[in-house]
Amino acid sequence: MITYLIEFALLHLLFYLVYKLMLSQETQLKFLRFFLLGSTVLALIVPILEIPAPSEAVFVNLATSVYPTFEINPTGSNFSSWSWIEITMLALSCLFALKFVSGIIQIAAYYNKSVEKHINGITVREIPKLETSFTFFQWIFIDSSHFENPEDIIQHELGHAKKLHTLDMVFFHLLTIPFWWLPSIWLMIKELKKVHEFEADEFALKVNDKTYAKTLVQCTLRAHGMNLASSFDDAPIFNRLNFMKKMKKKISIWKVASVTALVAISGAMFACEDELESEIKRIADESNQQIDYSADVKAALDELKQQNPNTEYVVVETSLDNEASIEKLNSYDPGQIAKIFVTKEGDHKRVVMIVSQDSELFNKTVEVQESDPTNEVFTIVEKAASFPGGIDAFNEYISQNLSYPEQAQQLGVEGRVFIKFIVEKDGSLSNLEVVRGIGAGCDQAALDMMKNSPKWNPGEQRGHKIRQKLIQNILFKLPS
């Protein structure tokens, strides 16, 4: 949840800056309104999307598996699952929710005390002594006696109703309930109100452009309680009057293209999973004993198993930089190779082959592996590495050696930490690395716990100990 909030906030702020710097002075009102609404919806959706990042086929030199998730909960009587930060944020969200509801109730009260009236064929809700006019969906509230030219005001309000501006405001004010703390939400509301007013002005000008500007000035001066001499240079009035003059100006194509590209790129950057996260998800969805094949190799292996269900296949791979292995493989009969691939790992190319276990090639591959343990030929793991005593013993070790960091408890941080490591041939752990974490001390706590682990039982292949890469998934969970 915290990751989502951060990504939404960054995206929404970025979109607001794009609007302010590149679009706020434009006059294509439909496009401006679409951008303000669409970019906000996009910022809400993008953080929950997962677009796999494009990458070249890579074959991992180690058998890889994911150990079952272990859940760690806070202990101790001094812990409260609700930190003061969470309580404050929730309380303020409740206040904004009450404000939203009270606004709806107030409008309903206006409706109940209003009287339906028809002016120039337009239905309005007449309320005596109403100082201003406003629209809520299709209801136009006004005291027509309060204005010198009420027809102009009604046309303006009718523009709000026809263009469904209330829907925009309801949407954004609902967002202020959970996101009251995000400045770009309030700034976008301010910009959207301007666009709404300009759209309503545009609608009213089509009916009566001779008196509308004068009515606009008179209403603003009356609202400010000022006379003409002291307040005619009121900035918002000049903005609206100037906008009326340049309303037909089109937005430049390069600006539309630039904004579209910026939004698309920024959205893709937040939505794309990084390579390590994609690896974790793929491995987690597969068997705990599944070697980490590239997609094309796995598809070919599955196809061969379907075509020949009684034949056991094995995947063999080596680096093209390993001249001894390449020379050896070149001496094999190509007819014994079911499938062959060339993949790329950084600047190094590798050969990946699928052969049957009873073939001469498979036996020669094992001989190469036994005679030269430093070469890079690896095969499927028959027996995966394991913690002494099994899963239950490992869970017991974690529960005794891993505590929920106090910082994470106070900040309300929870989620999964993935630790990648290698079980060496002697059972020791090496290359420990947090491949995805949640911060607030949880990543380091989980990493330290794994570093202090006793030796494991190494993985085995055809009776030989091998190095195996594992990923441990630890879930830090606060009490509900």
Side-chain angles (χ1 to χ4, degrees), residues 59-60 62-64 286 289-293 315 378-381:
F59 193 88
V60 178
L62 302 165
T64 308
E286 297 174 357
Q289 307 298 323
Q290 179 65 56
I291 194 166
D292 189 15
Y293 302 135
V315 177
F378 295 90
T379 56
I380 295 174
V381 176

Side-chain angles (χ1 to χ4, degrees), residues 73-171:
N73 301 109
T75 58
S77 58
N78 62 340
F79 173 75
S80 172
S81 60
W82 288 93
S83 68
W84 66 270
I85 297 177
E86 291 173 313
I87 294 174
T88 302
M89 295 186 70
L90 180 61
L92 289 172
S93 291
C94 290
L95 287 177
F96 281 100
L98 288 174
K99 181 181 178 182
F100 179 84
V101 173
S102 66
I104 300 295
I105 294 174
Q106 185 180 13
I107 291 173
Y110 275 126
Y111 181 86
N112 289 332
K113 69 178 183 180
S114 66
V115 178
E116 185 175 298
K117 187 176 179 179
H118 298 276
I119 301 176
N120 291 344
I122 302 173
T123 303
V124 299
R125 308 297 304 186
E126 187 83 20
I127 302 179
K129 298 182 180 180
L130 184 65
E131 292 295 323
T132 185
S133 63
F134 68 93
T135 302
F136 186 75
F137 289 102
Q138 300 302 312
W139 299 338
I140 299 175
F141 296 92
I142 190 173
D143 178 7
S144 57
S145 64
H146 190 70
F147 301 98
E148 181 177 339
N149 297 304
E151 295 82 3
D152 291 335
I153 303 300
I154 291 171
Q155 285 296 330
H156 177 92
E157 297 299 337
L158 184 61
H160 286 306
K162 292 286 187 181
K163 295 181 180 296
L164 301 177
H165 290 162
T166 304
L167 283 177
D168 300 358
M169 288 294 101
V170 169
F171 169 68

Side-chain angles (χ1 to χ4, degrees), residues 59-65 279 290-293 317 378-379 381 421-424 430-431 466-470:
F59 193 88
V60 178
N61 292 339
L62 302 165
T64 308
S65 66
E279 178 186 359
Q290 179 65 56
I291 194 166
D292 189 15
Y293 302 135
E317 58 98 11
F378 295 90
T379 56
V381 176
F421 59 98
I422 295 174
V423 180
E424 298 290 347
S430 66
N431 298 78
I466 63 165
R467 302 170 70 223
Q468 185 178 8
K469 182 172 66 176
L470 297 173

